[in-house]
């Protein structure tokens, strides 16, 4: 186990530097004139432009810029955005909001997906299974850029069931509608994977043996079938957390939630390279850590899995 964790940590380091390098390259390759974008119609003098270029190392070559960024990042310094704000302070303000939103979304999606997926797998071919599969197709066909403003218009503005926007100190009720919208990104896939896994394990030899021994159906499903069926679902949930973080860009922008996605959207729109790269770097770290935790959970779910 120890050797496996060390090997994964080394892989995570390589993945982190590779991902940040690609993001850094793509972001700064597309920058035209970020200072003029931030200034709007106001002119920028040559002395101001020279000072800003020196401050953000934009006069240096690409590899020199990336080296300045990485060395500062290793010391915990995320730098400053082009507006002069500390990216570390912006992360400290934005992350609690996004974490609450993402956790609420993944809890809602997991409860619905696992519950409905188990029932569909147990009643494969029935009415509930057919209706569930149809609804998941509809959800998969609805992109979040359409679903988010539609849900805000119908349930937030016209019906008034939920607040149409949320603040930084939003409670669970204010985040419920954005979380439901965000959860639709992953609920259909998780449900289908759960259904397929349950249906496959119901035909396994150990399930037939458990039934032949006279175990109660509830124990057969709850202990033998569900435990083994959760392995691919747990894998998917770990990947989905990263998808929820990226999907929060649209959701937070629509519902005006000042989280990570909202800041990323604003940074991309204003061509604020340091802001975008800093926030994406933290997202990469979160994604890598979550996937390591998911891999380690395999052994807890299935005793047959060992890391040598």
């Amino acid at each position: 186990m120890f050797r496996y964790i060390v090997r994964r940590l080394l892989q995570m380091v390589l993945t982190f530097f590779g991902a940040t390098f690609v993001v850094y390259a793509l972001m700064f390759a597309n920058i035209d004139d970020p200072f003029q974008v931030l200034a709007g119609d106001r002119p920028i003098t040559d002395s101001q432009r020279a000072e800003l270029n020196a401050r953000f190392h934009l006069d240096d070559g690409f590899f020199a810029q990336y080296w300045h960024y990485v060395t500062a990042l290793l010391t915990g310094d995320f730098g400053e955005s082009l507006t002069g704000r500390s990216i570390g302070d912006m992360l400290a303000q934005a992350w609690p909001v996004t974490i609450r939103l993402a956790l609420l979304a993944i809890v809602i999606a997991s409860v619905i997906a696992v519950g409905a997926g188990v029932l569909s797998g147990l009643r494969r071919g029935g009415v509930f299974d057919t209706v569930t599969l149809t609804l998941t197709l509809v959800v998969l066909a609805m992109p979040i850029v359409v679903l988010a403003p539609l849900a805000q218009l119908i349930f937030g503005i016209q019906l008034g069931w939920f607040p149409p926007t949320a603040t930084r100190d939003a409670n669970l009720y204010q985040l419920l509608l954005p979380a439901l919208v965000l959860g639709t990104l992953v609920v259909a896939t998780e449900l289908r994977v759960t259904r397929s896994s349950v249906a496959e394990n119901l035909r396994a030899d150990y399930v037939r043996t458990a039934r032949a021994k006279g175990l109660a159906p509830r124990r057969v499903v709850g202990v033998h079938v569900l435990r083994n069926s959760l392995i691919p679902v747990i894998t998917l949930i770990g990947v989905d957390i990263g998808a929820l973080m990226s999907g929060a860009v649209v959701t937070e922008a629509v519902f005006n939630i000042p989280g990570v996605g909202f800041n990323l959207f604003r940074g991309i729109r204003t061509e604020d390279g340091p802001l975008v790269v800093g926030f994406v770097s933290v997202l990469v770290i979160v994604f890598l850590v979550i996937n390591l935790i998911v891999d380690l959970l395999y052994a807890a779910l299935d005793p047959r899995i060992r890391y040598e």
Side-chain angles (χ1 to χ4, degrees):
M1 175 70 77
F2 177 76
R3 293 176 60 186
Y4 173 79
I5 295 176
V6 172
R7 188 166 63 250
R8 283 299 307 273
L9 290 176
L10 293 176
Q11 293 174 356
M12 289 169 59
V13 171
L14 294 176
T15 304
F16 171 76
F17 283 109
T20 54
F21 181 82
V22 171
V23 172
Y24 197 92
L26 292 175
M27 188 64 206
F28 283 88
N30 293 324
I31 288 181
D32 183 17
D33 191 354
F35 303 132
Q36 192 61 59
V37 173
L38 293 172
D41 296 330
R42 294 174 297 177
I44 299 179
T45 63
D46 293 336
S47 60
Q48 290 175 331
R49 188 179 297 278
E51 180 183 355
L52 290 172
N53 285 331
R55 181 178 178 182
F56 292 100
H57 307 286
L58 296 182
D59 287 332
D60 300 334
F62 169 74
F63 291 101
Q65 294 180 39
Y66 181 71
W67 174 253
H68 285 299
Y69 171 73
V70 170
T71 52
L73 187 63
L74 293 177
T75 62
D77 181 13
F78 290 91
E80 293 182 351
S81 68
L82 296 182
T83 58
R85 296 184 60 187
S86 170
I87 296 178
D89 294 339
M90 296 174 69
L91 282 167
Q93 295 176 359
W95 265 108
V97 184
T98 298
I99 289 175
R100 291 203 306 269
L101 178 62
L103 288 179
L104 184 59
I106 199 65
V107 168
I108 293 173
S110 300
V111 170
I112 295 175
V114 173
V118 170
L119 289 177
S120 295
L122 294 175
R123 302 174 182 178
R124 192 173 183 180
V127 176
F128 181 82
D129 183 37
T130 304
V131 173
T132 301
L133 291 178
T134 304
L135 290 177
T136 55
L137 285 176
V138 174
V139 172
L140 288 172
M142 290 285 289
I144 196 168
V145 292
V146 175
L147 188 60
L150 189 63
Q152 183 188 49
L153 175 64
I154 296 175
F155 300 106
I157 298 176
Q158 294 182 349
L159 298 178
W161 292 355
F162 303 96
T165 59
T167 61
R168 179 176 289 107
D169 300 323
N171 53 34
L172 292 181
Y173 173 68
Q174 292 174 322
L175 292 176
L176 187 56
L177 181 58
L180 287 170
V181 172
L182 191 58
T184 58
L185 279 174
V186 298
V187 66
T189 308
E190 290 180 6
L191 193 153
R192 284 175 168 264
V193 170
T194 304
R195 171 187 176 274
S196 300
S197 184
V198 169
E200 180 182 354
N201 283 289
L202 282 174
R203 299 190 296 268
D205 293 337
Y206 64 87
V207 173
R208 288 196 292 267
T209 302
R211 288 172 174 172
K213 289 182 177 180
L215 295 181
R218 181 177 300 178
R219 181 172 177 81
V220 172
V221 174
V223 177
H224 298 280
V225 176
L226 185 58
R227 185 172 181 177
N228 289 291
S229 300
L230 283 179
I231 293 178
V233 179
I234 291 295
T235 305
L236 194 58
I237 290 176
V239 176
D240 286 343
I241 293 179
L244 292 181
M245 293 294 185
S246 60
V249 174
V250 177
T251 305
E252 291 181 359
V254 171
F255 290 94
N256 201 31
I257 303 174
V260 173
F262 180 84
N263 283 276
L264 275 175
F265 176 78
R266 184 175 57 184
I268 294 172
R269 185 181 58 188
T270 59
E271 297 182 359
D272 195 335
L275 175 64
V276 174
V277 176
F279 272 77
V280 171
S281 298
V282 178
L283 285 177
V284 171
I285 295 174
V286 171
F287 188 82
L288 292 174
V289 171
I290 289 174
N291 276 272
L292 176 61
I293 294 174
V294 168
D295 288 345
L296 296 179
L297 284 176
Y298 288 166
L301 291 172
D302 192 344
R304 296 171 298 178
I305 298 177
R306 290 291 181 266
Y307 298 107
E308 298 297 342

